[in-house]
Amino acid sequence: MTITAAHLGSSKAWTDAQLLYALEEVVEKELNRHLKVAKDWMPHEYVPFSDGRNFPGVFEDGEAWASDQSKVTDIGKIALVVNLLTEDNLPSYHHEIASLFGRDGAWGTWVHRWTAEEGRHGIVMRDYLLTSRAVDPDKLEQFRMAHMAEGFESDNRHSMLHSVAYVAFQELATRVSHRNTGHQSGDPVCDRMLARIATDENLHMVFYRNLLGAAFELAPDLTMQAVRDVVVNFRMPGHGMPGFERAAAQMAIGEIYNMRIHHDDVIQPVLRYLKVLDIDGLGPEGLKAQDELGLYMGGLDDEAAKFDEKLAARKARMAARAGA
């Protein structure tokens, strides 16, 4: 099945301001839909406060942190820190999208609502980590300070359309990372908490994905180029945090987020839902971007297959050692 893109004048004629205005009705529709299906929840209800105890400091009875005080798995601890530090940069994310999307009308209402919902994620994750003693609280705070002191600048801050394309994929990537972290955490309480967060992230993805679909109807060539650029150059928002590369490698081996997951569970579902590679009626630049996107996805699948082979070989070696 093919989709014929509706050209409303030349794609090159669209400016960010014009697209923002043209998409306002879609934003309002998606905002109303989101508010109907999103359920408020209380972060404190997901935290086992009765398991908590004082740390040393102002409390004389404080108990020093030790790595064996939590039931969370090693890979779960690594992923939880990465996920929390990513959520911690919410003030920078809010600044980025508020600057691009504005603070008025439906766009502004969405920006503030999204920020309020995302704020719960950092609250509940930090409370859980400290209460369960899953990570060293001093190091966690040091990491937070270092990460936030660096600030955050989006790779896509130059373009509203690129930013919409990016968050359509990034929200799904975050959902997948949270959900897989919960599965690998070894703690049912952690799993329930991250499942709740993942539900929010999925709803955010749906909002941006549908908005991206509307952008394809308005400016198909420009939107195709934006999707191509975002997919080819995709980076998670936490890429600048201390030790991110090593943590990302461990998360890849631990099957929380890796190349195969990125291809199968993040990029492909959005492209497939919007039928991006089937859109017809594009101009020369749109066709070029579509072809390049298809080639890139084929290469990404090949790289993911190589990673799969290496991961399977590693598992076989570990199993052989355990059985020796």
Side-chain angles (χ1 to χ4, degrees), residues 18-53:
Q18 290 170 333
L19 279 170
L20 278 168
Y21 180 79
L23 289 169
E24 179 88 22
E25 288 187 11
V26 180
V27 172
E28 184 174 5
K29 175 186 173 184
E30 289 302 316
L31 172 63
N32 290 334
R33 180 197 55 76
H34 177 84
L35 293 175
K36 287 180 181 178
V37 298
K39 296 181 180 179
D40 280 340
W41 55 279
M42 304 298 138
H44 57 267
E45 293 179 354
Y46 288 81
V47 180
F49 286 107
S50 61
D51 293 346
R53 50 204 185 275

PDB file of all heavy atoms in Angstrom, residues 18-53:
ATOM      1  N   GLN A  18       5.381  29.124  10.313  1.00  0.00           N
ATOM      2  CA  GLN A  18       4.209  28.716   9.541  1.00  0.00           C
ATOM      3  C   GLN A  18       3.761  27.309   9.906  1.00  0.00           C
ATOM      4  O   GLN A  18       2.558  27.034  10.015  1.00  0.00           O
ATOM      5  CB  GLN A  18       4.524  28.808   8.042  1.00  0.00           C
ATOM      6  CG  GLN A  18       4.667  30.222   7.523  1.00  0.00           C
ATOM      7  CD  GLN A  18       5.210  30.267   6.110  1.00  0.00           C
ATOM      8  OE1 GLN A  18       5.941  29.358   5.672  1.00  0.00           O
ATOM      9  NE2 GLN A  18       4.871  31.322   5.377  1.00  0.00           N
ATOM     10  N   LEU A  19       4.710  26.416  10.104  1.00  0.00           N
ATOM     11  CA  LEU A  19       4.358  25.049  10.475  1.00  0.00           C
ATOM     12  C   LEU A  19       3.757  24.990  11.876  1.00  0.00           C
ATOM     13  O   LEU A  19       2.819  24.241  12.123  1.00  0.00           O
ATOM     14  CB  LEU A  19       5.589  24.146  10.379  1.00  0.00           C
ATOM     15  CG  LEU A  19       5.949  23.645   8.973  1.00  0.00           C
ATOM     16  CD1 LEU A  19       7.320  22.983   8.981  1.00  0.00           C
ATOM     17  CD2 LEU A  19       4.896  22.672   8.459  1.00  0.00           C
ATOM     18  N   LEU A  20       4.307  25.765  12.785  1.00  0.00           N
ATOM     19  CA  LEU A  20       3.740  25.826  14.136  1.00  0.00           C
ATOM     20  C   LEU A  20       2.276  26.245  14.086  1.00  0.00           C
ATOM     21  O   LEU A  20       1.419  25.635  14.738  1.00  0.00           O
ATOM     22  CB  LEU A  20       4.529  26.816  15.002  1.00  0.00           C
ATOM     23  CG  LEU A  20       5.818  26.315  15.640  1.00  0.00           C
ATOM     24  CD1 LEU A  20       6.604  27.496  16.210  1.00  0.00           C
ATOM     25  CD2 LEU A  20       5.524  25.313  16.744  1.00  0.00           C
ATOM     26  N   TYR A  21       1.997  27.267  13.298  1.00  0.00           N
ATOM     27  CA  TYR A  21       0.629  27.760  13.177  1.00  0.00           C
ATOM     28  C   TYR A  21      -0.259  26.722  12.490  1.00  0.00           C
ATOM     29  O   TYR A  21      -1.389  26.463  12.924  1.00  0.00           O
ATOM     30  CB  TYR A  21       0.616  29.076  12.391  1.00  0.00           C
ATOM     31  CG  TYR A  21      -0.763  29.654  12.217  1.00  0.00           C
ATOM     32  CD1 TYR A  21      -1.373  30.351  13.261  1.00  0.00           C
ATOM     33  CD2 TYR A  21      -1.452  29.518  11.013  1.00  0.00           C
ATOM     34  CE1 TYR A  21      -2.649  30.883  13.104  1.00  0.00           C
ATOM     35  CE2 TYR A  21      -2.725  30.041  10.843  1.00  0.00           C
ATOM     36  CZ  TYR A  21      -3.319  30.729  11.898  1.00  0.00           C
ATOM     37  OH  TYR A  21      -4.583  31.248  11.744  1.00  0.00           O
ATOM     38  N   ALA A  22       0.256  26.118  11.419  1.00  0.00           N
ATOM     39  CA  ALA A  22      -0.537  25.151  10.662  1.00  0.00           C
ATOM     40  C   ALA A  22      -0.852  23.897  11.472  1.00  0.00           C
ATOM     41  O   ALA A  22      -1.891  23.261  11.276  1.00  0.00           O
ATOM     42  CB  ALA A  22       0.204  24.774   9.380  1.00  0.00           C
ATOM     43  N   LEU A  23       0.028  23.547  12.395  1.00  0.00           N
ATOM     44  CA  LEU A  23      -0.165  22.334  13.198  1.00  0.00           C
ATOM     45  C   LEU A  23      -0.910  22.587  14.507  1.00  0.00           C
ATOM     46  O   LEU A  23      -1.155  21.648  15.265  1.00  0.00           O
ATOM     47  CB  LEU A  23       1.201  21.701  13.510  1.00  0.00           C
ATOM     48  CG  LEU A  23       1.926  21.049  12.335  1.00  0.00           C
ATOM     49  CD1 LEU A  23       3.357  20.707  12.724  1.00  0.00           C
ATOM     50  CD2 LEU A  23       1.193  19.794  11.869  1.00  0.00           C
ATOM     51  N   GLU A  24      -1.253  23.809  14.771  1.00  0.00           N
ATOM     52  CA  GLU A  24      -1.898  24.155  16.048  1.00  0.00           C
ATOM     53  C   GLU A  24      -3.171  23.342  16.292  1.00  0.00           C
ATOM     54  O   GLU A  24      -3.409  22.840  17.392  1.00  0.00           O
ATOM     55  CB  GLU A  24      -2.225  25.647  16.086  1.00  0.00           C
ATOM     56  CG  GLU A  24      -2.923  26.119  17.355  1.00  0.00           C
ATOM     57  CD  GLU A  24      -1.958  26.515  18.456  1.00  0.00           C
ATOM     58  OE1 GLU A  24      -0.800  26.826  18.148  1.00  0.00           O
ATOM     59  OE2 GLU A  24      -2.372  26.520  19.625  1.00  0.00           O
ATOM     60  N   GLU A  25      -4.016  23.190  15.278  1.00  0.00           N
ATOM     61  CA  GLU A  25      -5.260  22.431  15.440  1.00  0.00           C
ATOM     62  C   GLU A  25      -4.970  20.966  15.737  1.00  0.00           C
ATOM     63  O   GLU A  25      -5.685  20.334  16.526  1.00  0.00           O
ATOM     64  CB  GLU A  25      -6.125  22.561  14.192  1.00  0.00           C
ATOM     65  CG  GLU A  25      -6.774  23.925  14.021  1.00  0.00           C
ATOM     66  CD  GLU A  25      -7.756  23.954  12.867  1.00  0.00           C
ATOM     67  OE1 GLU A  25      -8.080  22.871  12.335  1.00  0.00           O
ATOM     68  OE2 GLU A  25      -8.200  25.057  12.484  1.00  0.00           O
ATOM     69  N   VAL A  26      -3.944  20.426  15.116  1.00  0.00           N
ATOM     70  CA  VAL A  26      -3.568  19.033  15.371  1.00  0.00           C
ATOM     71  C   VAL A  26      -3.073  18.884  16.798  1.00  0.00           C
ATOM     72  O   VAL A  26      -3.412  17.919  17.492  1.00  0.00           O
ATOM     73  CB  VAL A  26      -2.484  18.572  14.377  1.00  0.00           C
ATOM     74  CG1 VAL A  26      -2.097  17.114  14.648  1.00  0.00           C
ATOM     75  CG2 VAL A  26      -2.962  18.744  12.945  1.00  0.00           C
ATOM     76  N   VAL A  27      -2.277  19.841  17.255  1.00  0.00           N
ATOM     77  CA  VAL A  27      -1.785  19.810  18.628  1.00  0.00           C
ATOM     78  C   VAL A  27      -2.953  19.842  19.607  1.00  0.00           C
ATOM     79  O   VAL A  27      -2.983  19.091  20.591  1.00  0.00           O
ATOM     80  CB  VAL A  27      -0.831  20.996  18.889  1.00  0.00           C
ATOM     81  CG1 VAL A  27      -0.462  21.088  20.363  1.00  0.00           C
ATOM     82  CG2 VAL A  27       0.427  20.851  18.044  1.00  0.00           C
ATOM     83  N   GLU A  28      -3.926  20.713  19.346  1.00  0.00           N
ATOM     84  CA  GLU A  28      -5.092  20.797  20.234  1.00  0.00           C
ATOM     85  C   GLU A  28      -5.867  19.484  20.253  1.00  0.00           C
ATOM     86  O   GLU A  28      -6.283  19.004  21.318  1.00  0.00           O
ATOM     87  CB  GLU A  28      -6.007  21.938  19.783  1.00  0.00           C
ATOM     88  CG  GLU A  28      -7.208  22.149  20.711  1.00  0.00           C
ATOM     89  CD  GLU A  28      -8.028  23.361  20.331  1.00  0.00           C
ATOM     90  OE1 GLU A  28      -7.732  23.995  19.303  1.00  0.00           O
ATOM     91  OE2 GLU A  28      -8.980  23.674  21.075  1.00  0.00           O
ATOM     92  N   LYS A  29      -6.055  18.883  19.084  1.00  0.00           N
ATOM     93  CA  LYS A  29      -6.757  17.597  19.004  1.00  0.00           C
ATOM     94  C   LYS A  29      -6.009  16.515  19.763  1.00  0.00           C
ATOM     95  O   LYS A  29      -6.594  15.749  20.542  1.00  0.00           O
ATOM     96  CB  LYS A  29      -6.911  17.197  17.528  1.00  0.00           C
ATOM     97  CG  LYS A  29      -7.511  15.812  17.330  1.00  0.00           C
ATOM     98  CD  LYS A  29      -7.484  15.423  15.858  1.00  0.00           C
ATOM     99  CE  LYS A  29      -7.925  13.974  15.662  1.00  0.00           C
ATOM    100  NZ  LYS A  29      -7.813  13.561  14.235  1.00  0.00           N
ATOM    101  N   GLU A  30      -4.700  16.439  19.558  1.00  0.00           N
ATOM    102  CA  GLU A  30      -3.897  15.416  20.231  1.00  0.00           C
ATOM    103  C   GLU A  30      -3.803  15.681  21.730  1.00  0.00           C
ATOM    104  O   GLU A  30      -3.766  14.745  22.534  1.00  0.00           O
ATOM    105  CB  GLU A  30      -2.502  15.362  19.617  1.00  0.00           C
ATOM    106  CG  GLU A  30      -2.466  14.783  18.220  1.00  0.00           C
ATOM    107  CD  GLU A  30      -3.041  13.373  18.160  1.00  0.00           C
ATOM    108  OE1 GLU A  30      -2.713  12.546  19.050  1.00  0.00           O
ATOM    109  OE2 GLU A  30      -3.828  13.095  17.244  1.00  0.00           O
ATOM    110  N   LEU A  31      -3.771  16.951  22.116  1.00  0.00           N
ATOM    111  CA  LEU A  31      -3.758  17.293  23.541  1.00  0.00           C
ATOM    112  C   LEU A  31      -5.046  16.838  24.207  1.00  0.00           C
ATOM    113  O   LEU A  31      -5.020  16.226  25.287  1.00  0.00           O
ATOM    114  CB  LEU A  31      -3.581  18.800  23.708  1.00  0.00           C
ATOM    115  CG  LEU A  31      -3.723  19.359  25.133  1.00  0.00           C
ATOM    116  CD1 LEU A  31      -2.646  18.789  26.052  1.00  0.00           C
ATOM    117  CD2 LEU A  31      -3.643  20.886  25.113  1.00  0.00           C
ATOM    118  N   ASN A  32      -6.185  17.106  23.580  1.00  0.00           N
ATOM    119  CA  ASN A  32      -7.467  16.685  24.145  1.00  0.00           C
ATOM    120  C   ASN A  32      -7.560  15.167  24.239  1.00  0.00           C
ATOM    121  O   ASN A  32      -8.076  14.629  25.222  1.00  0.00           O
ATOM    122  CB  ASN A  32      -8.617  17.236  23.306  1.00  0.00           C
ATOM    123  CG  ASN A  32      -8.761  18.745  23.439  1.00  0.00           C
ATOM    124  OD1 ASN A  32      -8.380  19.326  24.453  1.00  0.00           O
ATOM    125  ND2 ASN A  32      -9.314  19.386  22.425  1.00  0.00           N
ATOM    126  N   ARG A  33      -7.069  14.484  23.206  1.00  0.00           N
ATOM    127  CA  ARG A  33      -7.065  13.019  23.250  1.00  0.00           C
ATOM    128  C   ARG A  33      -6.184  12.525  24.389  1.00  0.00           C
ATOM    129  O   ARG A  33      -6.555  11.618  25.142  1.00  0.00           O
ATOM    130  CB  ARG A  33      -6.558  12.464  21.911  1.00  0.00           C
ATOM    131  CG  ARG A  33      -6.513  10.938  21.858  1.00  0.00           C
ATOM    132  CD  ARG A  33      -5.631  10.453  20.718  1.00  0.00           C
ATOM    133  NE  ARG A  33      -4.297  11.026  20.801  1.00  0.00           N
ATOM    134  CZ  ARG A  33      -3.371  10.613  21.670  1.00  0.00           C
ATOM    135  NH1 ARG A  33      -3.636   9.629  22.525  1.00  0.00           N
ATOM    136  NH2 ARG A  33      -2.185  11.181  21.701  1.00  0.00           N
ATOM    137  N   HIS A  34      -5.018  13.141  24.526  1.00  0.00           N
ATOM    138  CA  HIS A  34      -4.079  12.737  25.578  1.00  0.00           C
ATOM    139  C   HIS A  34      -4.698  12.919  26.964  1.00  0.00           C
ATOM    140  O   HIS A  34      -4.595  12.030  27.820  1.00  0.00           O
ATOM    141  CB  HIS A  34      -2.795  13.556  25.467  1.00  0.00           C
ATOM    142  CG  HIS A  34      -1.805  13.272  26.551  1.00  0.00           C
ATOM    143  ND1 HIS A  34      -0.919  12.224  26.496  1.00  0.00           N
ATOM    144  CD2 HIS A  34      -1.565  13.899  27.742  1.00  0.00           C
ATOM    145  CE1 HIS A  34      -0.182  12.203  27.596  1.00  0.00           C
ATOM    146  NE2 HIS A  34      -0.550  13.219  28.364  1.00  0.00           N
ATOM    147  N   LEU A  35      -5.343  14.047  27.182  1.00  0.00           N
ATOM    148  CA  LEU A  35      -5.918  14.328  28.499  1.00  0.00           C
ATOM    149  C   LEU A  35      -7.046  13.358  28.848  1.00  0.00           C
ATOM    150  O   LEU A  35      -7.304  13.086  30.026  1.00  0.00           O
ATOM    151  CB  LEU A  35      -6.432  15.773  28.550  1.00  0.00           C
ATOM    152  CG  LEU A  35      -5.352  16.860  28.464  1.00  0.00           C
ATOM    153  CD1 LEU A  35      -5.981  18.238  28.402  1.00  0.00           C
ATOM    154  CD2 LEU A  35      -4.382  16.761  29.645  1.00  0.00           C
ATOM    155  N   LYS A  36      -7.700  12.817  27.829  1.00  0.00           N
ATOM    156  CA  LYS A  36      -8.779  11.851  28.073  1.00  0.00           C
ATOM    157  C   LYS A  36      -8.239  10.481  28.483  1.00  0.00           C
ATOM    158  O   LYS A  36      -8.864   9.769  29.273  1.00  0.00           O
ATOM    159  CB  LYS A  36      -9.642  11.706  26.826  1.00  0.00           C
ATOM    160  CG  LYS A  36     -10.545  12.903  26.556  1.00  0.00           C
ATOM    161  CD  LYS A  36     -11.369  12.685  25.304  1.00  0.00           C
ATOM    162  CE  LYS A  36     -12.258  13.892  25.018  1.00  0.00           C
ATOM    163  NZ  LYS A  36     -13.050  13.711  23.762  1.00  0.00           N
ATOM    164  N   VAL A  37      -7.089  10.113  27.938  1.00  0.00           N
ATOM    165  CA  VAL A  37      -6.576   8.755  28.191  1.00  0.00           C
ATOM    166  C   VAL A  37      -5.507   8.710  29.278  1.00  0.00           C
ATOM    167  O   VAL A  37      -5.289   7.670  29.896  1.00  0.00           O
ATOM    168  CB  VAL A  37      -6.026   8.123  26.892  1.00  0.00           C
ATOM    169  CG1 VAL A  37      -7.132   7.976  25.865  1.00  0.00           C
ATOM    170  CG2 VAL A  37      -4.872   8.944  26.318  1.00  0.00           C
ATOM    171  N   ALA A  38      -4.824   9.838  29.519  1.00  0.00           N
ATOM    172  CA  ALA A  38      -3.770   9.853  30.538  1.00  0.00           C
ATOM    173  C   ALA A  38      -4.386   9.806  31.930  1.00  0.00           C
ATOM    174  O   ALA A  38      -5.384  10.473  32.205  1.00  0.00           O
ATOM    175  CB  ALA A  38      -2.907  11.106  30.390  1.00  0.00           C
ATOM    176  N   LYS A  39      -3.804   9.000  32.796  1.00  0.00           N
ATOM    177  CA  LYS A  39      -4.294   8.866  34.166  1.00  0.00           C
ATOM    178  C   LYS A  39      -3.280   9.448  35.136  1.00  0.00           C
ATOM    179  O   LYS A  39      -2.099   9.129  35.077  1.00  0.00           O
ATOM    180  CB  LYS A  39      -4.542   7.391  34.493  1.00  0.00           C
ATOM    181  CG  LYS A  39      -5.650   6.755  33.653  1.00  0.00           C
ATOM    182  CD  LYS A  39      -5.858   5.294  34.033  1.00  0.00           C
ATOM    183  CE  LYS A  39      -6.968   4.668  33.187  1.00  0.00           C
ATOM    184  NZ  LYS A  39      -7.171   3.226  33.533  1.00  0.00           N
ATOM    185  N   ASP A  40      -3.782  10.318  36.017  1.00  0.00           N
ATOM    186  CA  ASP A  40      -2.895  10.850  37.050  1.00  0.00           C
ATOM    187  C   ASP A  40      -2.496   9.737  38.010  1.00  0.00           C
ATOM    188  O   ASP A  40      -3.288   8.824  38.286  1.00  0.00           O
ATOM    189  CB  ASP A  40      -3.591  11.966  37.827  1.00  0.00           C
ATOM    190  CG  ASP A  40      -3.564  13.293  37.083  1.00  0.00           C
ATOM    191  OD1 ASP A  40      -2.717  13.438  36.191  1.00  0.00           O
ATOM    192  OD2 ASP A  40      -4.398  14.152  37.395  1.00  0.00           O
ATOM    193  N   TRP A  41      -1.282   9.809  38.515  1.00  0.00           N
ATOM    194  CA  TRP A  41      -0.817   8.813  39.477  1.00  0.00           C
ATOM    195  C   TRP A  41       0.109   9.498  40.465  1.00  0.00           C
ATOM    196  O   TRP A  41       0.654  10.556  40.201  1.00  0.00           O
ATOM    197  CB  TRP A  41      -0.115   7.644  38.777  1.00  0.00           C
ATOM    198  CG  TRP A  41       1.015   8.024  37.878  1.00  0.00           C
ATOM    199  CD1 TRP A  41       0.948   8.483  36.591  1.00  0.00           C
ATOM    200  CD2 TRP A  41       2.430   7.958  38.181  1.00  0.00           C
ATOM    201  NE1 TRP A  41       2.198   8.711  36.078  1.00  0.00           N
ATOM    202  CE2 TRP A  41       3.134   8.399  37.027  1.00  0.00           C
ATOM    203  CE3 TRP A  41       3.143   7.555  39.305  1.00  0.00           C
ATOM    204  CZ2 TRP A  41       4.524   8.445  36.975  1.00  0.00           C
ATOM    205  CZ3 TRP A  41       4.546   7.619  39.255  1.00  0.00           C
ATOM    206  CH2 TRP A  41       5.208   8.053  38.099  1.00  0.00           C
ATOM    207  N   MET A  42       0.248   8.873  41.622  1.00  0.00           N
ATOM    208  CA  MET A  42       0.999   9.472  42.713  1.00  0.00           C
ATOM    209  C   MET A  42       2.363   8.782  42.860  1.00  0.00           C
ATOM    210  O   MET A  42       2.412   7.580  43.144  1.00  0.00           O
ATOM    211  CB  MET A  42       0.229   9.358  44.031  1.00  0.00           C
ATOM    212  CG  MET A  42      -1.154   9.970  43.979  1.00  0.00           C
ATOM    213  SD  MET A  42      -1.060  11.736  43.648  1.00  0.00           S
ATOM    214  CE  MET A  42      -2.402  11.939  42.473  1.00  0.00           C
ATOM    215  N   PRO A  43       3.448   9.504  42.670  1.00  0.00           N
ATOM    216  CA  PRO A  43       4.769   8.884  42.776  1.00  0.00           C
ATOM    217  C   PRO A  43       5.000   8.174  44.109  1.00  0.00           C
ATOM    218  O   PRO A  43       5.602   7.095  44.134  1.00  0.00           O
ATOM    219  CB  PRO A  43       5.724  10.076  42.611  1.00  0.00           C
ATOM    220  CG  PRO A  43       4.966  11.046  41.783  1.00  0.00           C
ATOM    221  CD  PRO A  43       3.539  10.914  42.224  1.00  0.00           C
ATOM    222  N   HIS A  44       4.508   8.751  45.209  1.00  0.00           N
ATOM    223  CA  HIS A  44       4.771   8.150  46.523  1.00  0.00           C
ATOM    224  C   HIS A  44       4.124   6.782  46.688  1.00  0.00           C
ATOM    225  O   HIS A  44       4.545   5.995  47.535  1.00  0.00           O
ATOM    226  CB  HIS A  44       4.294   9.087  47.643  1.00  0.00           C
ATOM    227  CG  HIS A  44       2.848   9.456  47.559  1.00  0.00           C
ATOM    228  ND1 HIS A  44       2.409  10.585  46.915  1.00  0.00           N
ATOM    229  CD2 HIS A  44       1.744   8.835  48.035  1.00  0.00           C
ATOM    230  CE1 HIS A  44       1.096  10.658  47.002  1.00  0.00           C
ATOM    231  NE2 HIS A  44       0.662   9.608  47.670  1.00  0.00           N
ATOM    232  N   GLU A  45       3.119   6.483  45.866  1.00  0.00           N
ATOM    233  CA  GLU A  45       2.449   5.193  45.984  1.00  0.00           C
ATOM    234  C   GLU A  45       3.280   4.045  45.421  1.00  0.00           C
ATOM    235  O   GLU A  45       2.959   2.880  45.638  1.00  0.00           O
ATOM    236  CB  GLU A  45       1.093   5.248  45.277  1.00  0.00           C
ATOM    237  CG  GLU A  45       0.097   6.195  45.963  1.00  0.00           C
ATOM    238  CD  GLU A  45      -1.232   6.251  45.247  1.00  0.00           C
ATOM    239  OE1 GLU A  45      -1.341   5.641  44.151  1.00  0.00           O
ATOM    240  OE2 GLU A  45      -2.159   6.899  45.760  1.00  0.00           O
ATOM    241  N   TYR A  46       4.339   4.371  44.690  1.00  0.00           N
ATOM    242  CA  TYR A  46       5.177   3.348  44.077  1.00  0.00           C
ATOM    243  C   TYR A  46       6.505   3.152  44.807  1.00  0.00           C
ATOM    244  O   TYR A  46       7.345   2.373  44.352  1.00  0.00           O
ATOM    245  CB  TYR A  46       5.445   3.717  42.609  1.00  0.00           C
ATOM    246  CG  TYR A  46       4.238   3.538  41.722  1.00  0.00           C
ATOM    247  CD1 TYR A  46       3.245   4.510  41.674  1.00  0.00           C
ATOM    248  CD2 TYR A  46       4.065   2.394  40.954  1.00  0.00           C
ATOM    249  CE1 TYR A  46       2.121   4.350  40.875  1.00  0.00           C
ATOM    250  CE2 TYR A  46       2.950   2.221  40.150  1.00  0.00           C
ATOM    251  CZ  TYR A  46       1.978   3.213  40.113  1.00  0.00           C
ATOM    252  OH  TYR A  46       0.873   3.046  39.326  1.00  0.00           O
ATOM    253  N   VAL A  47       6.680   3.840  45.928  1.00  0.00           N
ATOM    254  CA  VAL A  47       7.947   3.790  46.658  1.00  0.00           C
ATOM    255  C   VAL A  47       7.770   3.048  47.985  1.00  0.00           C
ATOM    256  O   VAL A  47       6.888   3.395  48.773  1.00  0.00           O
ATOM    257  CB  VAL A  47       8.476   5.213  46.931  1.00  0.00           C
ATOM    258  CG1 VAL A  47       9.798   5.156  47.698  1.00  0.00           C
ATOM    259  CG2 VAL A  47       8.652   5.979  45.622  1.00  0.00           C
ATOM    260  N   PRO A  48       8.594   2.030  48.273  1.00  0.00           N
ATOM    261  CA  PRO A  48       8.486   1.267  49.526  1.00  0.00           C
ATOM    262  C   PRO A  48       9.157   2.009  50.691  1.00  0.00           C
ATOM    263  O   PRO A  48      10.221   1.603  51.174  1.00  0.00           O
ATOM    264  CB  PRO A  48       9.210  -0.041  49.196  1.00  0.00           C
ATOM    265  CG  PRO A  48      10.280   0.379  48.215  1.00  0.00           C
ATOM    266  CD  PRO A  48       9.651   1.474  47.388  1.00  0.00           C
ATOM    267  N   PHE A  49       8.528   3.074  51.136  1.00  0.00           N
ATOM    268  CA  PHE A  49       9.148   3.912  52.170  1.00  0.00           C
ATOM    269  C   PHE A  49       9.423   3.146  53.463  1.00  0.00           C
ATOM    270  O   PHE A  49      10.349   3.483  54.203  1.00  0.00           O
ATOM    271  CB  PHE A  49       8.265   5.127  52.464  1.00  0.00           C
ATOM    272  CG  PHE A  49       8.298   6.169  51.388  1.00  0.00           C
ATOM    273  CD1 PHE A  49       7.212   6.343  50.541  1.00  0.00           C
ATOM    274  CD2 PHE A  49       9.403   6.978  51.209  1.00  0.00           C
ATOM    275  CE1 PHE A  49       7.234   7.306  49.548  1.00  0.00           C
ATOM    276  CE2 PHE A  49       9.441   7.940  50.216  1.00  0.00           C
ATOM    277  CZ  PHE A  49       8.347   8.107  49.375  1.00  0.00           C
ATOM    278  N   SER A  50       8.646   2.118  53.745  1.00  0.00           N
ATOM    279  CA  SER A  50       8.860   1.357  54.979  1.00  0.00           C
ATOM    280  C   SER A  50      10.190   0.613  54.966  1.00  0.00           C
ATOM    281  O   SER A  50      10.688   0.203  56.021  1.00  0.00           O
ATOM    282  CB  SER A  50       7.721   0.356  55.193  1.00  0.00           C
ATOM    283  OG  SER A  50       7.650  -0.569  54.118  1.00  0.00           O
ATOM    284  N   ASP A  51      10.782   0.436  53.789  1.00  0.00           N
ATOM    285  CA  ASP A  51      12.088  -0.225  53.694  1.00  0.00           C
ATOM    286  C   ASP A  51      13.237   0.748  53.927  1.00  0.00           C
ATOM    287  O   ASP A  51      14.389   0.342  54.052  1.00  0.00           O
ATOM    288  CB  ASP A  51      12.266  -0.853  52.304  1.00  0.00           C
ATOM    289  CG  ASP A  51      11.318  -2.008  52.064  1.00  0.00           C
ATOM    290  OD1 ASP A  51      10.725  -2.496  53.050  1.00  0.00           O
ATOM    291  OD2 ASP A  51      11.153  -2.408  50.896  1.00  0.00           O
ATOM    292  N   GLY A  52      12.950   2.039  53.980  1.00  0.00           N
ATOM    293  CA  GLY A  52      13.999   3.037  54.057  1.00  0.00           C
ATOM    294  C   GLY A  52      14.552   3.220  55.467  1.00  0.00           C
ATOM    295  O   GLY A  52      13.920   2.850  56.462  1.00  0.00           O
ATOM    296  N   ARG A  53      15.759   3.794  55.520  1.00  0.00           N
ATOM    297  CA  ARG A  53      16.377   4.137  56.792  1.00  0.00           C
ATOM    298  C   ARG A  53      17.364   5.279  56.568  1.00  0.00           C
ATOM    299  O   ARG A  53      17.740   5.564  55.434  1.00  0.00           O
ATOM    300  CB  ARG A  53      17.073   2.931  57.413  1.00  0.00           C
ATOM    301  CG  ARG A  53      18.011   2.167  56.499  1.00  0.00           C
ATOM    302  CD  ARG A  53      18.157   0.731  57.015  1.00  0.00           C
ATOM    303  NE  ARG A  53      19.126  -0.041  56.265  1.00  0.00           N
ATOM    304  CZ  ARG A  53      18.848  -0.693  55.132  1.00  0.00           C
ATOM    305  NH1 ARG A  53      17.633  -0.624  54.602  1.00  0.00           N
ATOM    306  NH2 ARG A  53      19.782  -1.415  54.525  1.00  0.00           N
TER     307      ARG A  53
END
